[in-house]
């Protein structure tokens, strides 16, 4: 157990600048990201949104996708398609969210991929 006076301090050389009126964290000037270490922000946002919607439906907040779509102000067809992302195989979700691998399929195609078996999802989504 640590003593109250034992402090670990971690310094990360980042800058915070405003871009379009919003704060943006900038990496150090000498940081060069490699091209193979990219995550698609749209995919991450869509997966997060789908899981949020799934939790709300599981909690009984909405009985149908139509009610959910009306509450979030989006088309029922869009919500239905995006909600499928919450049912992707755990390996696919892990690779897309935790790993640094780009997906082999588009976000639109990934929505339909969720209806396949987990083994097929892994083969098609990331390879």
């Amino acid at each position: 157990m640590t003593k109250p006076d034992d402090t670990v301090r971690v310094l990360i050389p980042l800058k915070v600048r405003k871009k379009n009126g919003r704060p943006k964290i900038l990496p150090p000037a000498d940081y060069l990201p490699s091209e193979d270490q990219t995550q698609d922000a749209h995919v991450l946002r869509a997966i997060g949104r789908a899981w949020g919607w799934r939790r709300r439906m599981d909690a009984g907040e909405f009985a149908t996708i139509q009610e959910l779509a009306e509450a979030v102000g989006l088309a029922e067809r869009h919500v239905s398609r995006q909600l499928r992302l919450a049912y992707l195989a755990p390996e696919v979700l892990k690779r897309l969210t935790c790993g640094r691998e780009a997906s082999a399929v588009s976000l639109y195609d990934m929505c339909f991929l969720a209806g396949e078996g987990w083994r097929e999802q892994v083969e098609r989504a990331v390879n």
Side-chain angles (χ1 to χ4, degrees), residues 51-71:
W51 273 92
W53 291 344
R54 179 181 174 180
R55 276 191 226 111
R56 291 174 76 179
M57 293 207 50
D58 289 345
E61 191 174 335
F62 303 105
T64 64
I65 293 176
Q66 182 180 7
E67 289 177 14
L68 173 63
E70 289 172 2

Side-chain angles (χ1 to χ4, degrees), residues 9-56:
R9 185 173 288 182
V10 178
L11 297 174
I12 303 172
L14 299 175
K15 294 181 182 179
V16 178
R17 298 279 186 246
K18 289 209 176 205
K19 183 175 182 179
N20 297 332
R22 294 183 176 182
K24 182 171 175 96
I25 299 174
L26 301 175
D30 60 344
Y31 175 73
L32 298 171
S34 64
E35 291 182 14
D36 62 335
Q37 294 186 349
T38 59
Q39 290 176 319
D40 189 355
H42 298 288
V43 172
L44 295 176
R45 189 177 306 118
I47 290 171
R49 182 185 292 169
W51 273 92
W53 291 344
R54 179 181 174 180
R55 276 191 226 111
R56 291 174 76 179

Side-chain angles (χ1 to χ4, degrees), residues 72-85:
V72 297
L74 295 171
E76 181 180 352
R77 184 175 176 184
H78 176 76
V79 171
S80 174
R81 187 172 46 237
Q82 294 278 311
L83 190 59
R84 297 175 194 165
L85 294 173

